[in-house]
Each structure stands twice: as structure tokens, then as C-alpha cells.
Amino acid sequence: MSNFIRKFWNNEEGATAIEYGLIAAVMAIGILTALQATASSVSANFSDIASSVDAAV
């Protein structure tokens, strides 16, 4: 029984997949945060362009 527990405790199979999953999750959160930070300025730019086009017509 102790041999089984020792093997289970030392088993590192799947650890790399979990690490890659965590890295991907952190990157996704960073990308979403960056997009949310720039969304209002992009929206304001499009509103300014639309106003300029409406005024020109």
C-alpha cells in the first residue's frame, strides 16, 4: 500500500498540461482586460468619425 501511495505522490504526469492551461487562462484574462481598456476609446473614435461624416453630408 505504501508503494502505491509513494508512486501516486511522485507521479507528475499531466502537470505540464495543467501548467499550459494556467498560462493560457492568464493570457486570456490579460487580452480581455486590454480589450476592455481600449474599447471606450475606439468607440469614441468611431463616434467622432460618424459625426464628421454626418456633418459633411
Side-chain angles (χ1 to χ4, degrees):
M1 183 67 168
S2 65
N3 191 25
F4 172 75
I5 293 172
R6 191 175 321 122
K7 281 183 182 180
F8 181 76
W9 187 260
N10 293 327
N11 187 1
E12 294 184 11
E13 219 171 281
T16 304
I18 292 171
E19 290 168 357
Y20 282 132
L22 289 172
I23 290 170
V26 169
M27 289 176 64
I29 290 170
I31 290 170
L32 289 174
T33 303
L35 287 175
Q36 285 180 340
T38 59
S40 61
S41 65
V42 170
S43 178
N45 286 339
F46 278 117
S47 295
D48 292 342
I49 292 169
S51 298
S52 297
V53 170
D54 284 341
V57 175

